[in-house]
Each structure stands twice: as C-alpha cells, then as structure tokens.
C-alpha cells in the first residue's frame, strides 16, 4: 500500500514536471503567433510576478516589452497613446481569486487603453480562474474591449459580442483572427442614435403617405453603416430641456453609454469621444447683402472719381487749346468751353472754325475721347439700371462692426462667441439670443434683420437657397471664427469605434459624402423644408421720378447759374464805361 502511494505521488510529480513546459510552450506559441499576425511592436505585461513560468514567457518572447503592476499608482497615469507605441498587445496575468476580475486591473485597463480600446488583450491564466467567463466578457464589452482572448491553461477562449455576448472556444490563433470577420456582422444589434432636428445633418419630416421619415446627410451615413454591417437603428429622443442644457445632457448620455452615436460634429468644448476626424470644418458669419442705394445717385456711379477727374481734365484741356489756337480770332474762352463740352458729350452741332492742322488735331482728340467716354458712360448706366446699385458689402469682421444688424444665436453659441476675444468688442456686445425654433426659422428663411454664425456645412446648404435670386440676400464673411472636426460624437469606449471610423473614411474618400449632401438638399427642397427663393418683387421702373431727381437738380443748378451770369453781364453792360 505504501509502495502504491509512493508510486502515485512520484507519477504526479513527474507529470507536473513534464506538463509545465508544455503549458508554457503553448502560451508562448500563442503570444508569438499573435505578435507575428498583428505585427506588434510592444508587449505590455500586467501583473506578471517574478515566477518561473512568467520568467520563461518573458525570456522566449523577442518583442519589446513593458512590465506594469496594477498596484502601482504610477502605472495608472500611463497611456499607450502618448507614452508608448500604439501597435501593442496587452497581456494580463489573471489572478485566481474571487468571482470577478481583479478590481485594480479593471480600473487600470480603461485608463491605459484610452482611445485605443480596440487593441487586442490576452488574459493569461495557468489554471481555471475562479471567476466566470461571462462576467469577464460582460466587463470587456462594457469597456469596449471586443478583441479579447482568454487563455486558460492550454485552451483558448473568446466571445462574440453581437447580438448578445456569446462565449466561444478556439482551437488555435487562426480561428481567433477569423473571428474578426464574424464580429463585423452585428446580427441586428441596435445602434442608438439621438433623434435631433438639426437640418441638414439630421432631421425628420412626414412624407406624402403620412409616414415619419428620418433623413439628413450625417444620419444617412450612419444608416448606411447599419445596413452594411447588419445592424438596426434605434432612435433616442432628445432631452426636453432648455437649449443650453441640452448640450450638457447629451454629453452626459454619451459618457454614461445611453447613446452610441450622435449625428453632430465634435465640439472642443464638450468632453466626449468621437470617430477619427476626416477634415476640419470652419465656422463663419453670414451677413445680409448690402442695401440698395437711391436711384438718383446712379448718374454719379458709372465712373470712379479718378475717371471723373480725367473727364474734367479733358474738357479743360480742350478749352485751353481751342482758346490758345484762336487768339487771333478773339474767340471767348466761354465759347471754347462750350465747344469742348460738345465734343465730350458727342453732340457737336455748332459750326466750328478750323484754322489749321492744330485745330483739326484738337477736334479729333476731343471727338474720339467724347465718343469713348459717352458710350462707356451710357453702357455702364444702362447696366446699373438693370441690376441696381448697393452700398458697400460687409467683407471682413471689422466691417460687421458698422453693420446695423445684431448677431443672433442660441444661449450656448452666444456664450461661445463671447469667449472669442479676437472679435471686435463692439460686435460681440451687439448680439442677442432667441429660442431654437425661432432662430432656425429666421436663419433658414434668410431673415435679413440679423447676422448669423454657422459651421461651413450648414451654411453652404442654407445659402444654396439663393441660387435663383438675381441678388443674394446673404453673403458669407470669408474669415473663420472657429472650427470643429468632421467626426461623429460617440459614447465612451464604443466597441465598434474603429469600424465606424473606417467606414466613414471610405465614404469620404470615394466621394459618397458629396453625393449624400446633394441628395439631402434635394430632399429638403422637395419636402418644402428649404425653398429655392425667387425674385417675386415687382420689376423696378428704369426711369421713375426718383431717377430723374438728380437730373432735375442739375437742370435747376444750371438754370440758376445761367441766370446769375445773365444778370452779371446785364448789369455790367448797363454800367458806364
């Protein structure tokens, strides 16, 4: 009996000595295969104590490594992004106590993998762990860790996250790598999106059949994502709160994972996660088009002041030359002035004496100059009468200071504008707030009583309503006053964040986003949400009383001057010489 017991103990010891290297070789082989397949540049070992087994694994792996301890306070401040290379494999030594994963490890992993939760994690245990696999997988999915291997002894395990958590056993690393293709099928898993009313990004309307339809170019991209990966869209109503508080409430919903994706670009003032940026979206002001000037000023507008100086100089030059060449004939300078004006106005009917080639040259120069100036003036004046004239445009932020319009915002964006100290203080003070319903109605309807601030994508689509207008109602001030990233706001540690970023990048690179934008605007026009505005005002009369007012003033001034000259000459002729 004693011999049998001794033989059994000896066999157990020998079996343990033979089995331990086999266990280590399996674990090392799995890690080597993962490093080779994933082309990792760093192995991050967590809670690997100085045991013989751990030392053997570290010795046989050639990949550079970092050893961290979940008990270390310094390790909790480390981030892979910024501290180490992002092409890393995370290897966690599983503690064999308690029904749950080590609490310190559970806290360390989300911090260490901040914005990199899609990296591959290996939970390494030499024996059957005390906690259930389901608890581990539930924790991993909650933190967005979907690329997970549980190595229990010699057996490999992982899980499928969609449509629910499903543990799976793996025979080798190749099956784990093939799993990446499987989890791209969501199998009806719901993607929760915020139901907003922010046309043209995300909005709702009732179609001709009375059905509620959700549209928008950002929502269409999310809908295509759901269709491509066999997911379903679940709309979450927007919180019924004041405008300023809505932004905070939505941010809180994303942080607490009650939402997955919001069809709204990343705002730097909101601390939320977001997909990989595709481009930079600038923020601009749009100001009403300049007001039309009175038509009686049209006479003076065809030429700039410099050309008027040329005209006056030409008349004086012709008068002086005619007077100098006609000294012997004693022609008065007033007659020469009339002759010169006749040439410039191209209505010369007087019989002008030509004494020689000098007179002919002077008359030819004046006649040609008068022909050119008269026709240019009349053509320009005719064009002005057709299109009208307007005051100086607002082209810069400094010009907006003298604009007679206040800027209109909601509470949130007014507070943001007040922080933009590079804007003129007077302009920042001349701003007001309005509720979202009226603000959208005024802005989308191009109400010319206010100045508005918008991001480029919305501004572009709103201004397209002016396509058929002869004169636009609003102009964009081509000086950026802010910017944001073209990316979607998402929940913290979204499990399919990398997949979403990849899909949106493909839409951008292949020009599909441009097509979606064009289709969205066409849909907005067809449903009457936006309209192609037309010039419905009555046609302006080209020759109305207002237009002739300046001519009447000139005629009255000329008549008064001629009467004054007549009386001066009459009085001078009556005086004794």
């Amino acid at each position: 009996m004693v011999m049998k017991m001794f033989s059994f103990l000896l066999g157990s010891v020998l079996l343990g000595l033979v089995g331990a290297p086999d266990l280590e070789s399996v674990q090392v082989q799995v890690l080597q295969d993962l490093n080779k397949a994933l082309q990792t540049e760093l192995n991050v070992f967590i809670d690997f104590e100085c045991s013989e087994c751990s030392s053997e694994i570290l010795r046989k792996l050639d990949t550079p490594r970092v050893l961290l301890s979940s008990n270390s306070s310094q390790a909790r401040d480390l981030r892979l992004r910024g501290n180490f290379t992002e092409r890393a494999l995370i290897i966690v030594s599983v503690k064999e106590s308690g029904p749950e994963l080590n609490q310190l490890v559970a806290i360390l992993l989300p911090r260490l993998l901040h914005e990199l939760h899609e990296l591959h994690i290996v939970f390494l245990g030499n024996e059957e762990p005390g906690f259930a696999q389901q608890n581990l997988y539930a924790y991993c999915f909650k933190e967005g860790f979907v690329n997970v291997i549980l190595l229990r002894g010699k057996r490999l395990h992982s899980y499928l996250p969609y449509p629910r958590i499903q543990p799976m056993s793996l025979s080798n690393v190749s099956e784990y790598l093939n799993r990446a293709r499987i989890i791209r099928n969501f199998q009806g898993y719901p993607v929760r999106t915020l139901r907003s009313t922010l046309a043209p990004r995300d909005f709702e309307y009732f179609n001709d059949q009375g059905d509620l339809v959700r549209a928008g170019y950002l929502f269409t991209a999310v809908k295509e994502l759901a269709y491509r990966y066999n997911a379903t869209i679940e709309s979450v109503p927007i919180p019924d709160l004041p405008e300023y508080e809505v932004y905070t409430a939505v941010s809180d919903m994303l942080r607490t994972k009650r939402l997955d994706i919001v069809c709204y670009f990343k705002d730097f003032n909101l601390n939320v996660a977001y997909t990989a940026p595709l481009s930079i979206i600038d923020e601009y002001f749009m100001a009403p088009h300049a007001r039309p000037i009175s038509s009686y000023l049209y006479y003076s507008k065809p030429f700039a002041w410099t050309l008027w100086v040329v005209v006056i100089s030409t008349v004086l030059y012709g008068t002086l030359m005619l007077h100098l060449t006609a000294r012997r004939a004693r022609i008065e300078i007033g007659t020469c002035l009339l002759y010169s004006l006749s040439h410039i106005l191209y209505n010369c009917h007087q019989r002008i004496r030509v004494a020689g080639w000098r007179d002919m040259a002077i008359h030819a120069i004046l006649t040609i100059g008068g022909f050119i100036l008269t026709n240019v003036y009349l053509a320009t004046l005719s064009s002005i009468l057709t299109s009208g004239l307007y005051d100086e445009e607002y082209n810069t932020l400094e010009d907006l200071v003298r604009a007679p319009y206040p800027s209109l915002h909601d509470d949130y964006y007014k507070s943001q504008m007040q922080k933009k100290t590079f804007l003129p203080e007077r302009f920042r003070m001349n701003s007001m707030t309005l509720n979202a319903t009226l603000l959208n109605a005024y802005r989308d309807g191009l109400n010319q009583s206010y100045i508005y601030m918008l991001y480029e994508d919305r501004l572009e689509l709103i201004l397209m309503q002016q396509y058929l207008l002869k004169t636009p109602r609003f102009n964009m001030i081509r000086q950026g006053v802010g910017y944001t990233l073209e990316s979607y706001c998402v929940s913290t540690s979204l499990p399919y964040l990398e997949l979403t970023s990849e899909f949106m990048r493909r839409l951008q690179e292949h020009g599909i986003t441009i097509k979606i934008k064009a289709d969205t605007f066409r849909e907005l026009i067809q449903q009457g949400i936006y309209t192609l505005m037309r010039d419905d005002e009555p046609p302006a009369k080209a020759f109305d009383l207002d237009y002739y007012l300046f001519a009447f003033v000139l005629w009255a001034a000329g008549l008064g001057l001629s009467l004054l000259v007549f009386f001066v000459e009459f009085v001078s002729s009556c005086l004794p010489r």
Side-chain angles (χ1 to χ4, degrees), residues 470-485:
K470 179 178 65 177
T471 303
R473 295 188 180 184
F474 274 82
N475 294 321
M476 181 191 301
I477 308 300
R478 293 286 181 178
Q479 288 180 290
V481 295
Y483 67 94
T484 187
L485 299 178

Side-chain angles (χ1 to χ4, degrees), residues 283-286 394-403 420 422-428 451 453 476-482:
E283 190 176 29
Y284 298 103
F285 280 107
M286 68 176 190
Y394 307 114
N395 297 318
T396 64
L397 296 176
E398 288 72 19
D399 294 341
L400 294 181
V401 176
R402 53 183 176 81
K420 301 180 188 296
F422 60 89
L423 293 175
E425 183 178 0
R426 180 180 172 186
F427 176 71
R428 284 187 284 125
I451 297 171
M453 182 176 67
M476 181 191 301
I477 308 300
R478 293 286 181 178
Q479 288 180 290
V481 295

